[in-house]
Amino acid sequence: MSEKKLSGDVYHPTEEVINNANAKCDELYNFAERDYEGFWAKEAEELHWFQKWDKVLDDSNKPFFKWFTEGKTNICYNCLDVHLDSARRNKLALIWEGEDGEFKSFSYFALHRDVNKFANVLKSLGVRKGDRVTIYMGRIPELAIAMLACARIGAVHSVVYGGFSVEALHERIDDSESKVLITCDGAYQRGKIIELKQISDEALQRAATVSSVVVVKRTGHEINMEPGRDMWYHDLMALPIASNEENVEMMDAEDPLFLLYTSGTTGKPKAILHVHGGYMVGTYTTLKYVFDIHEDDRFWCAADPGWITGHSYIVYGPLLNGVTSFMYEGAPTFPYPSRWWQMIEKYGINILYTAPTAIRGLMRFGEAWPNRHDLSSLRLLGTVGEPINPEAWKWYYKVIGNEKCPIMDTWWQTETGMFMITPMPCTPLKPGSGTLPFPGLQMDILDEEGNPVKPGEEGFLVIKNSWPAMLRTIWNDPDRYVEQYWSKYDGMYLTGDSAKRDEDGYYWIIGRVDDVIKVSGYRLGSAEIESALVSHPAVAEAAAIALPHEVKGNAIHAFVILRDGYKRTDTFVEELRKHVGHEMGPIAKPEHIEIVDSLPKTRSGKIMRRVLKAKALGVDPGNISTLAD
Ligand code: WTA
């Protein structure tokens, strides 16, 4: 770090944090800048390869970049098997607490054993290298086991967030043409059971590719089991097919690891494709340096495994680093607002990584709840998912971190796979800023014409070089990959976010510039919410926009035009909200629905959501020359 005096509200890391850090930040930035490929090669060398790579980066077919070409590895092998010959064998890999207080833990040995057995079960169900498997579960250890088992045998997992519902699940199973669905008999949330199996059954009525369904017993309540199709996880794991025979598939570095559906600007959600080699190196390295991982750390990423944050930093990143990952099933405030603080104390969590919405939600209950618990085990804190407002940052810093834990405000995306703009333990922090790009990354903020904007000005955030954990393509739609990410500016990746840089070069994310909506940090598309609304027989047209919300960051507001013959009644709006909940999931339910007679459109018929938003906020809608009337 330069010694230059920084402007604004600056929080310097303590001497203790800097002196204890595993790596010297300056050296990392310098090395990566001097020799970008060398930097990543050195990291990759710390992992296991059945066969070493020829080339670190192959950019001969941009924007279809390849990393570690000809290298042979397996991310699951690197998460589990490599730790079995050391003292890590009996160390805890995963600690899990259920919302109802149930507890489970797995040593690296035990997790390896179960993953290996379940991989053999999958094989006996006919799953082969390259086949897709959909995973739709609550936050339970078997979710991680299922992901790792797929990776082990080269199957491609597609995890669907357990908060999604019938249509969202159906669409994702269908698009990925999954052979097997792994689900559970229900998930606990706020003391209630989410009927994941019932939702699966409904979704499967319309999905033709699934031949087997594996069901994990979590709640034990009565569910439908379809003979010949549905099998209990515990039954399968007790059969001889769940053998201990080793089954690691040697994977090409560029072989698919998983699909993760995410919302884009238009139409259906798209499947982001990540691969074994580069994704492994990227998540391993970023977690190690940004959260300064120490051998005996207990790392808690409080995200859901159904989103990229959980993939990279509950499952893969921590296990690649050989630390203990903590997973909690339920809601942060159940049964009391002290639930999280209680668990930090109980398990001695060292690092907590969560989202601004959770912090704001917990902050509302006041300091007394966290103050009642010993949080002194915490060494570092993290945040992700949306910009954090400085008040929430300061509360997190003071009340949870006791003014000694730096806050890693990490900016990244499903597409990037790993942290991209982030502090390091040595970085002086400014509340609300993700600070600087990770070592070696070249990022910029551009105006419409592609010129870098001046400090303090807003523009489009872009990435100018390739990075190992980047998405490789959109599954089955390479044209859309090129069009969406690589076509606005020549040779640059378009993030879809707007941002500013201050005079110290610190990045400040403003938000999405497309029609992606972030509700409580969850990524949804206006188009998906609209199609859920329009699938109701009474709705002719719909538009969904995001309006600011104190806790959720954004809340969805929808405008609908009714079909002829339908009248607005008191219960109708509630029925529509429920309908969206059933089709997409509870998080997608609009906060507010307004019945209107017309919607602002361009002459070519595109709804101008920008105009609706400006009107709702009572601000100037800007240029409306393309408005039809
Ligand atoms: C937003 C989540 C501000 C951003 C890992 C991005 C953030 C989108 C931050 C990706 C942050 C993520 N500060 N905004 N620290 N982190 N975002 O794909 O708009 O669910 O484009 O990945 O979240 O959301 P996704």
Side-chain angles (χ1 to χ4, degrees), residues 308 385-387 409-414 497 512 518 523:
I308 192 67
E386 53 176 328
D409 181 349
T410 59
W411 176 93
W412 57 296
Q413 308 179 300
T414 307
D497 279 10
R512 299 292 305 190
K518 279 275 178 157
R523 181 165 162 181

Side-chain angles (χ1 to χ4, degrees), residues 121-358:
V121 168
L122 289 176
K123 279 172 86 169
S124 74
L125 295 176
V127 178
R128 298 285 171 265
K129 182 175 172 180
D131 286 346
R132 275 81 58 208
V133 171
T134 297
I135 302 174
Y136 178 61
M137 290 163 102
R139 268 196 294 260
I140 52 175
E142 288 79 1
L143 196 159
I145 292 172
M147 289 166 70
L148 290 160
C150 287
R152 191 167 189 83
I153 57 171
V156 181
H157 60 71
S158 163
V159 181
V160 178
Y161 169 54
F164 275 140
S165 200
V166 180
E167 188 47 36
L169 175 60
H170 159 242
E171 213 167 55
R172 286 159 174 78
I173 293 176
D174 228 27
D175 185 78
S176 63
E177 298 170 289
S178 288
K179 242 187 188 170
V180 171
L181 171 69
I182 308 169
T183 184
C184 48
D185 64 350
Y188 287 113
Q189 263 295 327
R190 285 180 217 288
K192 295 209 188 79
I193 293 175
I194 303 174
E195 297 287 349
L196 297 176
K197 179 61 170 58
Q198 201 179 309
I199 295 170
S200 300
D201 285 344
E202 254 189 82
L204 287 174
Q205 283 172 11
R206 289 179 264 168
T209 56
V210 172
S211 52
S212 314
V213 178
V214 179
V215 187
V216 176
K217 189 173 255 171
R218 166 66 186 118
T219 63
H221 78 310
E222 196 66 32
I223 54 158
N224 164 57
M225 290 290 279
E226 200 72 32
R229 185 194 73 184
D230 301 352
M231 288 151 278
W232 288 105
Y233 175 88
H234 60 266
D235 284 344
L236 292 168
M237 289 291 269
L239 293 175
I241 52 166
S243 74
N244 287 328
E245 195 183 318
E246 279 295 337
N247 47 28
V248 183
E249 191 78 33
M250 220 199 279
M251 303 299 287
D252 193 281
E254 287 291 317
D255 275 338
L257 169 63
F258 65 83
L259 303 179
L260 190 55
Y261 286 83
T262 193
S263 306
T265 302
T266 50
K268 285 184 171 186
K270 50 198 175 179
I272 301 301
L273 176 75
H274 283 287
V275 298
H276 269 255
Y279 175 82
M280 168 175 85
V281 177
T283 51
Y284 165 73
T285 308
T286 47
L287 184 66
K288 179 177 66 171
Y289 290 133
V290 172
F291 283 105
D292 186 31
I293 294 298
H294 290 189
E295 186 61 44
D296 52 3
D297 274 340
R298 291 188 162 182
F299 178 79
W300 180 12
C301 166
D304 194 281
W307 301 86
I308 192 67
T309 311
H311 279 60
S312 298
Y313 299 111
I314 296 178
V315 182
Y316 291 115
L319 299 179
L320 289 167
N321 276 283
V323 285
T324 304
S325 187
F326 176 70
M327 190 197 274
Y328 166 60
E329 178 183 41
T333 52
F334 190 86
Y336 302 111
S338 56
R339 182 66 188 261
W340 273 22
W341 320 129
Q342 211 178 341
M343 291 189 296
I344 289 172
E345 176 174 349
K346 179 169 166 192
Y347 298 107
I349 303 292
N350 306 103
I351 303 163
L352 172 66
Y353 183 39
T354 183
T357 183

Side-chain angles (χ1 to χ4, degrees), residues 79-122:
C79 284
L80 302 173
D81 305 58
V82 298
H83 307 309
L84 299 182
D85 292 333
S86 70
R88 287 181 183 159
R89 181 183 179 86
N90 294 320
K91 170 177 172 178
L92 293 185
L94 186 65
I95 302 178
W96 172 81
E97 188 170 301
E99 197 186 69
D100 58 352
E102 205 186 321
F103 164 87
K104 274 189 195 169
S105 65
F106 295 79
S107 64
Y108 274 93
F109 170 79
L111 192 62
H112 167 265
R113 188 195 49 205
D114 278 11
V115 167
N116 192 64
K117 283 171 78 155
F118 191 55
N120 281 328
V121 168
L122 289 176

